[in-house]
Each structure stands twice: as C-alpha cells, then as structure tokens.
Amino acid sequence: MKFTARVWKFGDNINTDLILPNVAFYLTPQEQIKYIFRANRPGWVDLVEPGDILIGGKNFGMGSSRPAARNLKNLGLACLVAHSINGLFYRNAVNFAFPAMECDGVEALFDEGDIAEVDFESGAVKNLRRGQILPARTIPPQLLKIVEAGGIFPLLEQEGLIAPKA
Amino acid sequence: MGMTIAEKILAAKGGRDVVRPGDIVTVEVDTVILFDNNFMPANWRDILTIRDPERIVVVMDHRVPAPNAMAAGAHVTARAFAQKFRIKRVHDVGYDQGISHQLVADLGYGIPGTVLVCSDSHTCSAGVFNCLARGVGGPDVFYSAIKGETWFRCGETVRYQLTGKLPKAVTTKDAFLQIAGKHGAHATMNVEYGGPGMASLSINARKTLTTMSAELSAEFATFEPDGVLIDWVRSRNSRPFEPVYPDDDAQYHDTREVDLSALEPLVAYPDTVVQNSRPVKDAAGTKIDQAYIGSCANGTLDDLELAAQVVVGRRVAPGVRFIVTPASQLVYREALKSGALEKLADAGAMIAPPTCGACGGGHMGVIGPDETCITATTRNFKGRMGDPSSKVYMGSPATVAASALTGYITDPREFLN
Ligand code: SF4
C-alpha cells in the first residue's frame, strides 16, 4: 500500500464528533460525508479530491466510538498519518479498512497542499516538495490482514457469518 | 516483574503467563453489549450466528423513547435480533431500561476479572467493577458477538493513588477535572485507581472516575477491588468471580497521588475536557441558558440526591432550563422514592426519561445557536450538545444545580455550607 497525493492538515485532538456529528447519524453513508468538519472547517469537504491524504497532530480521533474512520474513507481520502492516533479511532480505522499510521512530528513535515508519498509497507512518509522523509509506525501484521481484506465486515461476510449487505 | 490489573486480566483472558505494554493480545470476551446505534441502518449488518446468547446484552439507550421513525426502526431491528437469538438480557423501553453503563452497575453485569465490550466509548465505566472494559468500534462488537473474542493492544498504565476525603460540595467529577486539567490525555495508556481514599467513595462516585476516563483517551480504566465492590457485584449477580489485584511490583508508567481533601469545585471550559479545567470561581457569573444533569457519568442516585440537596426549597432562575435525566429506570424509581425527584421538580427541573438524550446531542435538551449550557455529563466538544456555536461548560451535579438556581455559573458551596 502506497499513496501519493495532496495533503490536508488538521491539528491536535481532532475528535470524532467533528468528523461525524450526531445530526448525521440518521443519514446514509453518502450523505454523512457532507458533515465532516462542518463545525470547525465548514466547506472543506467540497475541496477534497479522491485520494487526498489527511495529516493529523496528537491523539487524532479522540472521543466517541462512532464510525468516523468510515466517514473519512467514504469521503474518498486515501489514508491518515498523524503524530498519534486515539486507540478507539485506530480500531475503527483497521476495522473499516481506512489505512492509518502514526508518525512522530508529521505535522512539521508538511505545509497544507504539499504532495506526500506514504508507504505503508516500509513506514516511510515523504514530502515530495521538500524531499524530506520521516519514519512511521507500520500497522502490525495481524491488523494489516484486516485492512487488506477490506475490513471486518467483508471478512465476516466471506465466512458466512453476516448476511451480504442488502 | 509484576503486572497491573489490566495486564493481569489480559494475560488471564488471553491464555498467557505474562502481558507487557506493546503486546497485542487476543482475548475471550465475556460480555458484549449492543445498543440502539448498532441497529441504525447505516451501522447494522444482519448477524447470522452468535457465539453464546448468554454473553449478549441488548440495550436501547441513546434514542429512547424513539424521537423519530428511524430510531424507532432501529429499535424494531434490535428487538428482532434479540428474539432471533433468544437473548434474555434485553433492556427495552420500560421497567429495566437505562443507559447501558448504568445498567452494568444496576444489574451487576460488570464482573471482576472479566472482559466486557460495547461500541460506546464510555464502556470503560465498567472498570469500576475491576472489569476489563472498553469502548470498541461497531465492527468489533459484531466480531465479538459472533466469534467470542477480540484483540487488544496493551498499553502502559498510570496509577492514581487516591488519598483523603472529599470536602462537602466537592465530588469525584471535580477529582476527574483536576486529573484531566493537570495531566491531559492518557492516549494509548491505561489508568488504574486505588489507594486508601477509595474507601470513602461510593461505587457511584468511583464510577464517575472510570466513566470519565474515556475523556482521558485511556484504553482501560480499572479500580482496585475492595469489600464494597465485591459486595456490590455479589448482591446483583450470582456468577462466581475472582477479583484481580495489581501485583506489588507492578510496573507503572507513573504513579500519581490525588489528595481528595485538597480539591475544590472545578469546571471544564467549552470545547474540550482535557487541560481546560479551572476553579468554578473563575467562571462564576457566566450566564447560562440551560443546566443539564444526567449521562453515564452523573445520572446516579448520588448525583440526583446531591442536586436535590442544592435546590431544595428554592426555584430555578427565570429563563433557565434545568433538565435532569436519571441514568436508568431503577435510578429513576430510587430517586422518586428518596424524594430527590420531588425536590428537583418542585424547584422547576424537568425530569427526562432515562436516555443519553442531550449528552450526545440526540434529543431531550439539545441546545441552540449561541446558547450556553452547564452540564454534568461526559463531553463538551464543540457542537456535541447541539449547535456548533453553542458553548458547553462541564462541572459536577452540585455546580450545575447551583448554576440553575442563579442563572450564572455558580460555586455550589454557596448553597451547601
Ligand atoms: S450518556 Fe452520553 S456519554 Fe454516556 S453513553 Fe450516552 S451519549 Fe455516551
């Protein structure tokens, strides 16, 4: 897994209420994406292009267990690299197959709009404009298997443990 | 080298002799709680098989009574699921409904030394019962229900050693705000509570600390067991259990003393709980539109009685909406019998049915543009309780009740001394 694309930067302590506010719970996944960061950065979702990369600060995805990682994936973002990722968000990222890695000091590596090259195999995060590289913590093998399978639901579906999505 | 409580339970449930920080462990799951959000159309996947119906609990709590047709539909799906697999522990609108984390306490579902999961982030609440409990994702809950196991990554543990006794009008919510204000996030780490000060705290008071540990971004929050805890569980659940004590030579990331007797009422300022606490007197005089008491952190009988003690014989300030939400039907009935609800209603509080309600911005007290709320719940993120422009301060039930009386953020000691 390797992604090369433009980056969007968000700071420390981004919580999942910001990514998927309560009012969006009643909507379809395709409608839910319009609410991402509405409270802290209105209009942003319209600027995102498929494959863009999210850069976060400390404790990205803190707070509620809601499927915020799925919402970011549905928006078309390729992956997340943050200085640190909240444990619960990380579980959801693995389970919904939204690739996410922790990388110390990643915010300082990029200005918004820079092009990143993120390699999930080697854990290298590179700013193509500056030519600088930082090492990231790769996803442990047993969890990477879940990501590569497309997440928990496709796995359970293949085993005949949940019904295919209607 | 010894282990902390979380490490010992992970080891026991993962079939290992030792678990250390950094290990990823697959563990047996003893209790899986599904709640109404899991059954919402965007989240639900039709489960074809489950490991053991005796291990499953189904709760309607976030949206009860159903505020709209989609929530009602989720409840229909939940009932059908429970019926299909003959699940006995179903908490539907009625006699034994409540917020899942409160039901865990009311009914002894949190068993010392066991593993409990639910896809609500405040599931760490059950750690008050020396239980390894944490909020997981929706898919984790499906997986755990179906397979009877899940994975956890073990983090380091911070030990909070409680000493002393809380002064009057000061609660464990203030103790939490002190910890969150001073130490900030504990991401990737567990917290463990214990020490001589816990003896003076009721289970309800302790539960506020484990519940609020979700706001520290802690992985697991556990309490050291004692007689009070063991009696609580034994009197509610006949299942045998072994409480788990930390080893004497357990390795902690840090051990921090919290002197309960030195605390004062605190509030968290709007938008975040961590590193945002100040003495109530700093915020005193801030005008409020709504005062809210409830949630899995502060909807217990202790909380309602404390609020009743503040407001008894007085009236809520004109222009203030004071909403009180008992955390379960059992708590509701107990507070009715103890007279707490009567005192609150006489003062002008609206008593809402047990539900998550406005804590999660769902219903029953959502706040509008530019409004200010003081809340005794779990979170004050921007837009959490309603409009993104609203401001939410967080304090103890005593502070919220005192503020409801004056219409301004108010130190509860004005009314309780
Ligand atoms: S009361 Fe609030 S914090 Fe607790 S489970 Fe409900 S929404 Fe979550």
Side-chain angles (χ1 to χ4, degrees):
Chain A
M1 265 189 314
K2 197 171 184 177
F3 304 100
T4 306
R6 169 176 68 161
V7 307
W8 295 99
K9 278 181 70 175
F10 286 82
D12 292 341
N13 300 317
I14 294 296
N15 70 63
T16 57
D17 280 60
L18 294 174
I19 302 171
L20 181 57
N22 194 301
V23 285
F25 277 28
Y26 295 111
L27 307 174
T28 64
Q30 277 321 307
E31 290 168 325
Q32 287 180 341
I33 58 177
K34 296 180 192 147
Y35 287 80
I36 298 173
F37 297 139
R38 194 184 59 151
N40 57 330
R41 201 165 167 181
W44 174 75
V45 286
D46 299 323
L47 307 173
V48 175
E49 283 174 19
D52 282 356
I53 291 169
L54 208 56
I55 302 293
K58 290 190 188 121
N59 203 9
F60 188 95
M62 66 181 280
S64 162
S65 59
R66 59 195 65 191
R70 182 187 69 191
N71 215 23
L72 295 174
K73 185 184 170 79
N74 288 342
L75 181 62
L77 292 165
C79 65
L80 163 76
V81 185
H83 178 85
S84 59
I85 301 174
N86 181 271
L88 185 42
F89 183 92
Y90 189 77
R91 292 187 84 89
N92 274 321
V94 168
N95 289 340
F96 286 112
F98 179 57
M101 279 196 298
E102 293 180 322
C103 172
D104 287 344
V106 71
E107 313 105 286
L109 186 64
F110 295 102
D111 291 319
E112 191 158 277
D114 284 350
I115 305 295
E117 185 186 272
V118 180
D119 186 338
F120 277 79
E121 260 88 78
S122 67
V125 180
K126 185 171 182 184
N127 182 333
L128 293 185
R129 183 176 61 85
R130 294 189 204 158
Q132 286 170 335
I133 300 186
L134 280 179
R137 282 184 282 289
T138 52
I139 303 175
Q142 62 263 60
L143 306 186
L144 191 62
K145 264 195 265 166
I146 300 174
V147 178
E148 284 170 347
I152 289 274
F153 288 142
L155 272 175
L156 292 174
E157 220 177 283
Q158 277 159 30
E159 289 185 52
L161 300 170
I162 58 170
K165 191 134 184 82
Chain B
M1 197 168 70
M3 292 187 280
T4 67
I5 295 172
E7 287 160 1
K8 283 175 88 166
I9 301 177
L10 282 171
K13 289 293 174 177
R16 302 188 184 196
D17 294 333
V18 179
V19 165
R20 298 270 174 238
D23 290 352
I24 293 181
V25 193
T26 298
V27 295
E28 178 197 355
V29 178
D30 298 275
T31 310
V32 183
I33 301 177
L34 285 96
F35 66 104
D36 43 6
N37 276 1
N38 296 120
F39 299 93
M40 295 284 274
N43 300 335
W44 177 247
R45 295 298 304 264
D46 195 12
I47 296 179
L48 299 176
T49 168
I50 56 174
R51 179 70 187 275
D52 178 4
E54 299 288 324
R55 295 186 182 213
I56 311 281
V57 179
V58 175
V59 179
M60 323 291 178
D61 63 0
H62 278 60
R63 293 154 211 281
V64 290
N68 57 34
M70 192 186 278
H75 295 167
V76 169
T77 306
R79 287 175 201 125
F81 166 76
Q83 220 168 14
K84 177 171 160 190
F85 292 105
R86 296 180 207 284
I87 290 160
K88 294 195 199 101
R89 295 186 289 181
V90 182
H91 298 278
D92 205 341
V93 175
Y95 186 82
D96 60 3
Q97 186 273 338
I99 299 171
S100 70
H101 317 309
Q102 183 63 38
L103 295 176
V104 162
D106 289 350
L107 299 164
Y109 290 168
I111 301 163
T114 67
V115 173
L116 181 152
V117 299
C118 166
S119 70
D120 182 277
S121 54
H122 292 91
T123 304
C124 48
S125 177
V128 68
F129 300 113
N130 187 240
C131 172
L132 200 71
R134 71 154 297 157
V136 293
D140 283 314
V141 158
F142 284 79
Y143 192 92
S144 303
I146 291 168
K147 301 249 187 183
E149 62 177 39
T150 192
W151 62 269
F152 291 122
R153 187 167 193 275
C154 181
E156 291 186 291
T157 302
V158 175
R159 166 93 179 181
Y160 283 99
Q161 190 73 2
L162 309 176
T163 62
K165 258 191 181 169
L166 289 167
K168 198 166 189 184
V170 179
T171 73
T172 47
K173 188 60 161 279
D174 302 300
F176 162 77
L177 289 169
Q178 164 78 16
I179 291 170
K182 188 165 170 200
H183 301 293
H186 295 51
T188 75
M189 290 192 282
N190 309 310
V191 290
E192 186 178 291
Y193 298 100
M198 70 183 267
S200 68
L201 299 176
S202 68
I203 291 291
N204 286 337
R206 296 176 196 178
K207 188 162 78 70
T208 302
L209 282 173
T210 52
T211 305
M212 292 306 297
S213 298
E215 301 318 303
L216 300 175
S217 294
E219 295 283 311
F220 297 106
T222 52
F223 248 97
E224 199 171 322
D226 68 356
V228 175
L229 184 158
I230 291 166
D231 289 347
W232 178 290
V233 181
R234 285 234 167 95
S235 61
R236 287 167 176 79
N237 191 331
S238 57
R239 199 182 130 162
F241 61 82
E242 269 308 313
V244 177
Y245 297 83
D247 290 330
D248 289 339
D249 57 346
Q251 295 288 305
Y252 294 100
H253 172 80
D254 198 7
T255 299
R256 299 167 186 163
E257 188 188 327
V258 179
D259 179 1
L260 300 174
S261 61
L263 296 174
E264 62 174 325
L266 300 174
V267 284
Y269 272 54
D271 296 351
T272 180
V273 185
V274 291
Q275 283 170 335
N276 209 17
S277 309
R278 293 195 228 161
V280 171
K281 60 178 186 299
D282 286 15
T286 305
K287 196 176 171 320
I288 57 161
D289 301 291
Q290 180 168 305
Y292 187 98
I293 295 176
S295 87
C296 51
N298 284 117
T300 69
L301 184 62
D302 290 15
D303 296 313
L304 304 185
E305 290 197 322
L306 179 63
Q309 224 183 311
V310 173
V311 302
V312 65
R314 299 186 171 94
R315 285 296 287 272
V316 170
V320 173
R321 311 181 299 268
F322 183 28
I323 298 170
V324 176
T325 307
S328 70
Q329 288 282 87
L330 177 66
V331 172
Y332 195 113
R333 288 191 297 273
E334 285 175 347
L336 202 57
K337 287 172 197 155
S338 82
L341 291 190
E342 186 177 2
K343 288 172 193 149
L344 289 160
D346 278 345
M350 275 198 105
I351 315 294
T355 178
C356 290
C359 170
H363 63 152
M364 302 274 173
V366 173
I367 46 180
D370 299 315
E371 288 196 313
T372 299
C373 176
I374 180 150
T375 191
T377 52
T378 60
R379 284 198 172 123
N380 65 347
F381 297 159
K382 195 173 168 58
R384 162 88 178 174
M385 291 184 77
D387 194 88
S389 65
S390 61
K391 295 209 161 11
V392 181
Y393 291 80
M394 185 193 292
S396 76
T399 301
V400 172
S403 306
L405 292 177
T406 62
Y408 298 90
I409 293 178
T410 299
D411 192 320
R413 291 173 294 195
E414 287 180 27
F415 293 99
L416 279 177
N417 266 338

